[in-house]
Amino acid sequence: MSVGFKAVHWNREKLIYDAILFAGVVLFITAFVGISYWIEPPKDLPAAIDVRIRAFGTCAFVMLTVILSIGPLARLNPWFRTILYNRRHFGVLTFAVALLHAWFMIEWYDAQGTLPNLLVELTTWSDYGKFIGFPFKVLGAIALLLLFLLAATSHDFWLAFLSPPIWKWLHMSLYAAYGLVVMHVALGIMQYDRNPLIPLLLATCFSTVAALHFVAGWRERSTDRARGSDGWIAVGAPGAIPDQGAVVVSASGGERIAVFRDGTEIGALSNVCAHQNGPIGEGRIVDGCVTCPWHGWQYRLSNGCAPPPFNEKLATYPVRVRNGIVEVSPHALPPGTPASIQASVG
Amino acid sequence: MKRSHRRVHRLFWPVLALLVGTGLALALIMRAPPPAPPTVVEGQR
């Protein structure tokens, strides 16, 4: 949080997460190479490098698919929030795997002494006007560049330096990178390798990501439409708010408000975390503090202030109980203003 | 995620998905047919 920057804020959960992630990548690549060698042992060095290119390329594509699926999955089912946490390490590892894929491709040309052919491929300008025959490696190179930018700026230093809105926009380019990778495969290996698994994997992964985003977005439309007028917004009975959890409502301006309950204390905070605009309302109260599900940033329910020595503050909203129903004002108070109340939970 | 982000996200995603989906379908349709298996004719070398 705000006390100072460290390269990585390691904790037990992150170590376990990274260990599982790394083991998964090693297992995938080992299995891919093993099965490929078993089906058709490579005849020479370029053929052996080709297997590595495919293994690392497929692994990076599957990892990108998983990364883009985690967000909507976490909105559809709270269980997936455990994977959401520390997603940035997943992204950095994906860049490393994609970089190795590109490195083996250069090695493949080098092993045959045809490295200049790569340059010819990329600078045959007439091919850029074609659809089938388009220099697909360029699409992969642009995607790799985007992944590098995202990995290099994933640290909190860059978040603070660029400001959260710009950082968020930059990191939305992951979607463009994914689109480029899909077309890199579709116009590349899918054109000259007739293995039906290639289009099948490509279409399945792409459809899964698209469908998950569509379903999650569709379900959230109801939250945004259920806006109050200028008056207070009804949340429900105190008991309807999960203990140490939240109900998210939408203010008249469309910004979301997370109404938390901690025993008999009820308070409302902005649903946007001060760190990376994470969805506070999908988090829980841990050690007496509202905890963001993305990276564990914490705030006091009573006033939206991070506990010492941190100094981040969230906007709070007035809450009241009328006729047994918790209501929240759509008008935000200045960040750090005490606004929680005590209510009996029937 | 702020409302402005969500709005752009909801517009951006379907457009990108449609573009990439169309590109993927075209790439699949326009694939060159598989090469015919070599036929060996008796007595011909």
Side-chain angles (χ1 to χ4, degrees), chain A residues 131-132 168-169 172 175 179 182-183 186-187 190-191 193-194 199 202 206 209-210 213 217 220 224 227 253-256 277, chain B residues 1-10 12-13 16-24 26-28 30-35:
Chain A
F131 181 64
I132 301 296
K168 192 71 193 171
W169 283 115
M172 290 268 283
Y175 291 103
V182 170
M183 291 315 295
L187 297 176
M190 198 180 83
Q191 295 301 318
D193 189 324
R194 307 302 297 191
L202 199 57
F206 174 71
V209 171
H213 277 78
E220 287 196 336
D224 283 345
R227 296 173 195 166
E255 290 298 345
R256 291 179 181 173
N277 295 341
Chain B
M1 212 186 257
K2 291 190 173 183
R3 181 169 175 75
S4 54
H5 282 129
R6 288 202 303 274
R7 194 183 300 133
V8 174
H9 199 258
R10 279 179 191 160
F12 179 68
W13 234 108
L16 183 69
L18 198 66
L19 274 175
V20 177
T22 308
L24 180 57
L26 281 174
L28 200 58
M30 293 166 77
R31 259 199 322 181

Side-chain angles (χ1 to χ4, degrees), chain A residues 28 32 35-36 39 54 58 61-62 185-186 189-191 193-206, chain B residues 24 28 31:
Chain A
F28 183 97
F32 192 104
I35 293 169
S36 300
I39 294 172
R54 289 168 188 248
T58 310
F61 178 65
V62 171
V185 181
I189 194 164
M190 198 180 83
Q191 295 301 318
D193 189 324
R194 307 302 297 191
N195 188 338
L197 284 176
I198 296 168
L200 189 68
L201 178 77
L202 199 57
T204 306
C205 287
F206 174 71
Chain B
L24 180 57
L28 200 58
R31 259 199 322 181

